Amino acid sequence: SLESSPIFADIDGKDKDEELVIFSSDGLIHVYQQDGSELAGFPARVDRRRPMKSSEANNVLGSCAFRADKADCIAKNGTIDPDVAGQTAMMPMSIGDLDGDGTLEIVATTWDGWVFAFEHDGSSRAGFPKSMNFDHVKQTSETEVIDGGFMASPVLYDLDMKPGLEIIAAGMDQYIYVWHADGTPMAPYPVRLFNPDDEQSVETKARIVATPA
């Protein structure tokens, strides 16, 4: 399915024609040309969701649905390719020239709490992906309604007044994150948003779902 809205931009930089850029829910970023063909180097793929990654201690890859050996399984037929469970986005990506080299980069934040950046040729940008601090969401409650992911679109803007754009992302952990174009975090971020003069705001937590301005 396609939850996020498409964006139009001249990704290949070879002409004045804009390509259609869309993030599908299977973790693929597609770039379509005007004739409907996919731009060379795309689709680009983001990582699998955390339960589908072998590096995660609590992954589900050993369950019957994903393994070829069905010896102790009730259902014996078929397996599911874990690559179909890629991270996904709910809001549009952002596109801009992060490093000022004259080519466009594609930046996506995911529901799973990661930030991915891709070059105009579909390759992953050096220094990425990056993630939010999942320690922020180890504890939730009726007064701590937070999640480990990004709902809002990323924003590209020159915050430090130096060459290159920063990537600004509002997390559902109630923190604002900022990374430089090379993937290094910008101090003092991440910072939690709350009203220090309001006791309830200090003591409770809530998701940020709106895109920063």
Side-chain angles (χ1 to χ4, degrees), residues 19-188:
E19 285 74 46
L20 184 152
V21 187
I22 187 74
F23 193 169
S24 58
S25 58
D26 57 357
L28 296 178
I29 296 175
H30 297 274
V31 178
Y32 294 108
Q33 302 180 92
Q34 289 195 6
D35 62 2
S37 63
E38 189 117 36
L39 189 67
F42 292 91
R45 183 185 293 276
V46 302
D47 288 345
R48 296 176 183 177
R49 305 197 72 182
R50 293 177 71 185
M52 302 297 173
K53 299 178 70 172
S54 59
S55 59
E56 293 289 332
N58 297 321
N59 73 75
V60 298
L61 297 177
S63 63
C64 291
F66 300 100
R67 70 176 197 248
D69 177 12
K70 307 289 186 179
D72 58 348
C73 301
I74 296 175
K76 306 292 185 180
N77 298 325
T79 58
I80 298 175
D81 181 357
D83 280 338
V84 303
Q87 297 183 36
T88 190
M90 305 302 292
M91 298 292 282
M93 298 167 287
S94 291
I95 298 174
D97 186 358
L98 288 177
D99 50 15
D101 67 351
T103 64
L104 296 178
E105 283 77 42
I106 301 170
V107 180
T109 48
T110 70
W111 184 257
D112 300 84
W114 290 80
V115 177
F116 294 87
F118 295 93
E119 303 288 355
H120 68 285
D121 60 1
S123 61
S124 180
R125 181 170 176 79
F128 292 87
K130 295 296 181 182
S131 75
M132 66 184 346
N133 186 343
F134 295 109
D135 287 342
H136 293 163
V137 293
K138 282 185 174 180
Q139 178 176 319
T140 60
S141 67
E142 292 182 355
T143 59
E144 297 172 298
V145 186
I146 49 178
D147 283 305
F150 294 105
M151 174 68 141
S153 295
V155 173
L156 309 182
Y157 190 78
D158 182 10
L159 282 182
D160 63 3
M161 304 303 290
K162 297 178 181 179
L165 302 177
E166 277 65 54
I167 298 170
I168 307 161
M172 288 191 289
D173 60 352
Q174 205 179 18
Y175 281 76
I176 296 292
Y177 294 81
V178 179
W179 291 274
H180 295 295
D182 62 0
T184 56
M186 177 176 169

